[in-house]
Amino acid sequence: MIRLDNISKQNGHQILFIDASMGIMKGEKVGLVGPNGAGKTTLFRMITGKEQPDDGQVAIDAGMTIGYFSQDVGEMSGQSAVAAVMDGVGPVSALASEMAELEAAMVDPDRADELDAIIERYGDVQARFEELDGYALEARAREVLAGLSFSQERMDGDVGLLSGGWKMRVALARILLMRPDGMLLDEPSNHLDLESLIWLEAFLKDYDGALLMTSHDRAFMNRIIGKVVEIDAGSLITYSGDLDFYDQQRALTEAQRQAQYERQQAMLAKEIKFIERFKARASHAAQVQSRVKKLDKIERVEAPRRRQSIQFEFRSPPRSGDDVLNLKNVHKGYGAQPIYSGLDFLVRRKERWCVLGANGAGKSTLLKLVAGATQPDQGTVTVGASVRMGYFAQHSMDLLDGEETIFESLDSSFPQAGQGALRTLAGCFGFSGDDVEKPCRVLSGGEKARLVMAKMLFDPPNLLVLDEPTNHLDMTTKEMLVEALKDFEGTMLFVSHDRHFLAALSNRVLELTPEGIHQYGGGYTEYVARTGQEAPGLHPGG
């Protein structure tokens, strides 16, 4: 299906691949892993032919179609979301656009004298559209967009007016509608809410082509893939099994390599000691020579490279009063759209509430009300005694000063902290060595999120209000954050689409549904067991 044979590739001074090989067969679902900058996107681009290897070859079966979804969406405007999705399938979308223009022309009084010609053309176009199964295709396009949480209104609106995250979904829908023989998905889970994520998971499980994907969402990957390819220091290493199995195998291989390395080092030390001791004695000259030759021939075992595992330990936040937040009879709407009418919600010390609800149910609005970023139309939001709040929202990242370096940004927030403590903090959040000298304006979304999080947690508040804190984080940083927050002694209220994060950190669930608002004692895992669904309004297997 897809094969990479002994490929080598260098970008500038950085060597990405040396004699690396891998293969994907029809029906295989493969997760691609490796540290940031290891070459995952370059690998995708080589398979699609957008880049060439310096050496070796990429072989793809003749006639095989490949769909590639990347974070770089490109320009979209001037058509509806549905038309943009159908665009990926070729001539059908051009016919659909022409039909729409002709329909408008038929009722245009200024073109009444052309009516016969317009109707005749419309008949031809419609016949060709039907021949290509256009009506079924449009229905399928709408089904895919609905799965990715588009409302009918949004499907028919101008795609150019959508935010970056929604445009990403249009680009993803385009590839899913194609149903190509092979799919390359680079972080498809990045901008999705929980409902869309679960829908996409089911879609990809049913897909019968070859799939190669990256994702920072562990639960999502684990449920889809049956094989892992790791980029490790220029090589491609294949493991059969999911991410959990890969982690075990990797740890086992590393332990074996470490033991092998230590045995060889002990043997080398012994030989070198002998050579040093007897090299000046003529009587041992032959023995010394033979041992020197033997040492020259030995293939050295390299010590396994240690993966940096970063731990971040919280200082204890100051204790708050027992009632941390109290919302009474809260009403809130936008225009004619009511979001809350009469919400009562009490949060007590050490409770960790995760908020679940479909798009538009009011999750972010609730967090904004609590943080004081928006006011209720009616009712009261009371923050309890001695509560110090830390609020992380997607716009928090826009508040960084682009001209400051990472270190300066930390230093201006904590001038008393001292250089050592701030460098350690930066290291915990994945900024090691010279990284701290990068100006904030060049940081990626993930780096900005890590910096904002580092600032918030260095001198921790006793109430954390987090809106999608893991959105841009890679698996390692996410794991570090989960481990650190497990030990957090304060109170939490958060929204996340990451099921590992939800399960590990919540002990209460607030569910927002069109039928009403429900509160559950017990965390996300208990909620799934009790309701039989992973998100409101979704049923098992649905």
Side-chain angles (χ1 to χ4, degrees):
M1 238 15 220
I2 298 173
R3 278 209 60 76
L4 278 70
D5 292 317
N6 301 321
I7 56 158
S8 297
K9 179 75 176 170
Q10 191 165 343
N11 267 357
H13 293 302
Q14 192 192 7
I15 294 172
L16 293 175
F17 299 103
I18 310 166
D19 285 340
S21 299
M22 64 169 276
I24 310 170
M25 302 303 292
K26 181 176 165 58
E28 279 190 320
K29 298 185 169 78
V30 183
L32 181 63
V33 301
N36 280 345
K40 296 191 285 286
T41 302
T42 304
L43 186 82
F44 282 141
R45 290 175 62 82
M46 286 193 292
I47 294 173
T48 56
K50 291 193 166 116
E51 284 191 38
Q52 297 303 317
D54 302 334
D55 206 3
Q57 63 171 10
V58 177
I60 289 162
D61 282 2
M64 180 179 179
T65 54
I66 290 184
Y68 172 39
F69 169 76
S70 76
Q71 298 296 302
D72 183 12
V73 166
E75 193 39 56
M76 287 187 190
S77 63
Q79 55 185 158
S80 69
V82 173
V85 169
M86 286 164 64
D87 240 4
V89 189
V92 173
S93 74
L95 293 168
S97 307
E98 190 177 351
M99 275 165 60
E101 284 165 22
L102 292 166
E103 282 161 12
M106 283 182 208
V107 294
D108 182 348
D110 295 339
R111 299 186 64 182
D113 54 341
E114 299 170 56
L115 192 56
D116 290 346
I118 291 169
I119 289 172
E120 190 180 339
R121 177 67 188 151
Y122 185 77
D124 294 344
V125 173
Q126 190 181 32
R128 181 76 184 119
F129 185 71
E130 279 179 1
E131 213 174 287
L132 293 173
D133 214 5
Y135 288 111
L137 189 71
E138 181 170 338
R140 270 178 46 217
R142 286 181 183 277
E143 196 182 314
V144 170
L145 285 169
L148 295 175
S149 299
F150 275 74
S151 61
Q152 290 299 330
E153 196 181 336
R154 204 172 243 148
M155 287 181 205
D156 293 316
D158 182 350
V159 72
L161 302 176
L162 296 176
S163 69
W166 285 99
K167 281 181 179 161
M168 289 270 184
R169 295 184 194 209
V170 170
L172 178 59
R174 193 179 268 183
I175 292 182
L176 301 181
L177 183 67
M178 258 172 84
R179 281 213 167 227
D181 303 322
M183 270 200 250
L184 309 178
L185 302 180
D186 195 0
E187 297 294 346
S189 53
N190 247 8
H191 291 269
L192 301 184
D193 52 64
L194 189 53
E195 290 73 21
S196 307
L197 205 57
I198 292 164
W199 177 86
L200 179 59
E201 195 175 278
F203 185 98
L204 293 176
K205 276 185 189 163
D206 284 346
Y207 169 65
D208 56 8
L211 173 67
L212 179 67
M213 64 185 255
T214 62
S215 172
H216 293 326
D217 188 318
R218 194 180 183 90
F220 175 71
M221 277 267 260
N222 260 348
R223 293 171 189 215
I224 295 167
I225 63 171
K227 189 164 147 180
V228 172
V229 170
E230 178 191 34
I231 302 178
D232 184 18
S235 298
L236 290 168
I237 305 164
T238 301
Y239 297 81
S240 55
D242 63 8
L243 285 174
D244 294 340
F245 181 75
Y246 152 76
D247 283 340
Q248 289 163 6
Q249 287 302 107
R250 200 176 190 293
L252 201 62
T253 310
E254 264 188 16
Q256 285 166 347
R257 200 192 297 170
Q258 184 67 29
Q260 212 180 344
Y261 171 73
E262 284 168 8
R263 277 198 303 275
Q264 192 183 62
Q265 288 297 307
M267 183 273 290
L268 292 172
K270 200 169 149 189
E271 292 291 319
I272 289 164
K273 196 173 171 187
F274 178 90
I275 292 166
E276 287 300 318
R277 191 170 158 201
F278 294 110
K279 67 181 176 191
R281 297 193 193 177
S283 59
H284 285 74
Q287 272 177 294
V288 167
Q289 273 314 105
S290 92
R291 292 197 182 202
V292 169
K293 278 182 186 163
K294 182 177 143 193
L295 282 193
D296 284 344
K297 283 182 187 160
I298 286 176
E299 199 172 314
R300 304 294 160 111
V301 176
E302 279 185 36
R305 279 178 306 284
R306 294 261 168 242
R307 290 279 156 129
Q308 278 183 312
S309 64
I310 323 155
Q311 248 95 45
F312 175 72
E313 287 181 13
F314 275 102
R315 300 181 189 178
S316 292
R319 191 194 154 111
S320 69
D322 286 338
D323 286 0
V324 175
L325 286 171
N326 199 350
L327 282 71
K328 281 193 171 158
N329 191 30
V330 165
H331 292 250
K332 179 71 183 173
Y334 294 105
Q337 180 73 41
I339 306 281
Y340 294 109
S341 37
L343 169 66
D344 291 320
F345 179 44
L346 174 67
V347 175
R348 313 262 302 162
R349 191 170 78 86
K350 287 203 166 184
E351 287 180 344
R352 295 159 167 234
W353 287 87
C354 71
V355 186
L356 299 180
N359 251 332
K363 301 187 293 289
S364 294
T365 303
L366 176 67
L367 269 48
K368 284 177 186 162
L369 285 164
V370 164
T374 187
Q375 299 305 313
D377 302 334
Q378 193 185 320
T380 57
V381 177
T382 312
V383 177
S386 314
V387 170
R388 237 181 75 206
M389 190 187 309
Y391 174 45
F392 176 88
Q394 295 310 304
H395 72 261
S396 316
M397 303 189 286
D398 304 336
L399 306 177
L400 294 168
D401 178 345
E403 294 313 306
E404 283 186 335
T405 64
I406 291 172
F407 187 80
E408 287 164 352
S409 186
L410 292 171
D411 193 40
S412 57
S413 296
F414 310 109
Q416 257 61 66
Q419 217 183 9
L422 292 182
R423 282 189 177 271
T424 305
L425 172 69
C428 285
F429 283 85
F431 302 113
S432 53
D434 295 342
D435 284 352
V436 295
E437 300 308 327
K438 279 188 187 173
C440 292
R441 68 171 186 284
V442 306
L443 300 183
S444 67
E447 290 170 323
K448 285 180 181 170
R450 297 203 308 261
L451 177 56
V452 170
M453 204 76 75
K455 287 180 159 198
M456 188 159 77
L457 302 181
F458 183 62
D459 181 13
N462 48 30
L463 167 63
L464 287 177
V465 178
L466 309 174
D467 194 355
E468 293 288 5
T470 63
N471 238 5
H472 297 276
L473 302 184
D474 60 36
M475 263 188 220
T476 315
T477 313
K478 210 184 281 191
E479 203 47 57
M480 182 277 292
L481 188 63
V482 167
E483 288 307 311
L485 289 174
K486 275 182 184 167
D487 300 331
F488 174 63
E489 292 168 16
T491 307
M492 286 173 68
L493 175 69
F494 63 93
V495 171
S496 174
H497 66 253
D498 188 291
R499 284 161 290 181
H500 175 54
F501 192 85
L502 290 170
L505 296 175
S506 60
N507 59 21
R508 300 277 188 286
V509 175
L510 183 72
E511 181 192 54
L512 313 176
T513 72
E515 295 72 53
I517 292 171
H518 311 287
Q519 301 188 15
Y520 294 87
Y524 177 73
T525 308
E526 289 85 347
Y527 165 83
V528 173
R530 194 180 308 180
T531 61
Q533 60 190 27
E534 293 191 286
L538 281 183
H539 299 289

